[in-house]
Amino acid sequence: MAQGRRLLTNFTNVAQADIYHRDTISEFRAVSIAYDALVCGIWVTNESNEVVLLSTFGKELRRFDTGMRSVRSLTVEENGILIANGWGEFRRLDREGRAVDAPFRLSDALYDTEGLHRDADGSYLVVEDDPSRLMRISPDGTVLMELYGDSFDPPMTEPQGVTRDPYSGNILVVDDNEGLNSLFELAPDGRVLSVSPLSQYGVDAEGVALQPETGTLYVGFDSGRALAIFDWIPTEITINTPLERGPDCAYS
């Protein structure tokens, strides 16, 4: 396991995040990742037809064919996972890989879905990179929020993965090599709280997931073929009534 090091920011106009490198799983392409507390694991896709379930320490637990030619992003729901091909098509699967429904469109506003996260209220956080934007979509497909990354300071030009910390309220987005190859920490309204460069840990950051009970952060690198694991502490609490941290998942 690598020595823990604080990841320093090169940007003087934003705060420095408390993020410490713990380990890296090499030669493992992770384009989209999502933490699943029910199975205490990390779901991973690499733009193939397969989805892989890893333990929180990186051991492969399960692998199955999704029936979709290419899976670009995924998120966890109550009864399984929601996958997207990046071109507007979505599908639900149970945790054994069985199709729950036929392919469908989540919203007419979504085409280039690079990152996807289902929030506790049932809405979805989505990032797209053409144009660069962070959106919140209701379960019926209504656009509830739309923020353009080019307007952020510094700009977030190539967002690829998104997740949210339910305890602080903060949204985490990774920007890939065509952007800053960095982790953006955002308030729910899109205010930039911190930006953490990731290039010393991998090339082409595209996936991000958080085990919120432990503050364990996972960043997947596409062309760099690596899954990096960090300890993460939020820069600030951005919700009015912070939740109490629950217990860690039962097994790994």
Side-chain angles (χ1 to χ4, degrees), residues 15-247:
Q16 177 178 323
D18 285 318
I19 177 171
Y20 302 87
H21 183 233
R22 282 170 43 187
D23 201 2
T24 294
I25 302 169
S26 302
E27 298 304 317
F28 185 82
R29 186 175 178 228
V31 170
S32 182
I33 52 181
Y35 170 67
D36 188 345
L38 189 63
V39 294
C40 199
I42 309 295
W43 294 101
V44 182
T45 184
N46 61 4
E47 289 188 304
S48 73
N49 60 320
E50 290 187 324
V51 164
V52 178
L53 177 64
L54 301 179
S55 75
T56 54
F57 297 103
K59 178 183 177 182
E60 184 172 323
L61 302 175
R62 193 174 306 161
R63 178 186 296 259
F64 52 74
D65 187 329
T66 63
M68 187 176 278
R69 182 175 179 182
S70 176
V71 182
R72 185 64 189 83
S73 57
L74 79 170
T75 189
V76 173
E77 298 187 311
E78 293 99 332
N79 298 319
I81 58 175
L82 175 66
I83 60 175
N85 66 1
W87 300 101
E89 186 176 278
F90 292 76
R91 193 169 199 179
R92 290 186 169 91
L93 306 174
D94 68 17
R95 287 177 171 83
E96 301 299 325
R98 294 181 292 260
V100 175
D101 53 19
F104 65 96
R105 292 193 64 87
L106 182 64
S107 171
D108 290 338
L110 298 179
Y111 295 94
D112 183 25
T113 307
E114 299 288 348
L116 179 66
H117 173 76
R118 185 183 186 275
D119 227 341
D121 65 357
S123 66
Y124 299 91
L125 290 170
V126 179
V127 289
E128 299 188 339
D129 65 357
D130 188 20
S132 167
R133 57 182 180 170
L134 168 65
M135 307 171 71
R136 183 179 292 280
I137 306 292
S138 73
D140 67 4
T142 303
V143 178
L144 303 175
M145 177 185 74
E146 185 176 26
L147 302 172
Y148 287 87
D150 291 339
S151 68
F152 293 174
D153 185 17
M156 184 178 70
T157 58
E158 291 289 328
Q160 297 292 307
V162 61
T163 191
R164 187 169 185 252
D165 175 18
Y167 300 116
S168 69
N170 301 347
I171 300 168
L172 300 176
V173 180
V174 286
D175 197 33
D176 76 5
N177 259 30
E178 295 177 66
L180 297 175
N181 200 45
S182 296
L183 173 73
F184 278 72
E185 180 188 9
L186 309 171
D189 62 0
R191 177 170 54 94
V192 178
L193 304 175
S194 68
V195 180
S196 300
L198 298 168
S199 294
Q200 62 182 306
Y201 301 111
V203 180
D204 204 19
E206 294 211 351
V208 63
L210 180 70
Q211 184 180 12
E213 295 81 9
T214 62
T216 304
L217 179 73
Y218 301 84
V219 176
F221 296 93
D222 183 5
S223 60
R225 297 183 61 86
L227 179 64
I229 305 173
F230 303 89
D231 290 322
W232 176 79
I233 301 173
T235 299
E236 62 180 84
I237 306 297
T238 55
I239 52 179
N240 292 330
T241 308
L243 302 174
E244 292 186 8
R245 292 194 179 274

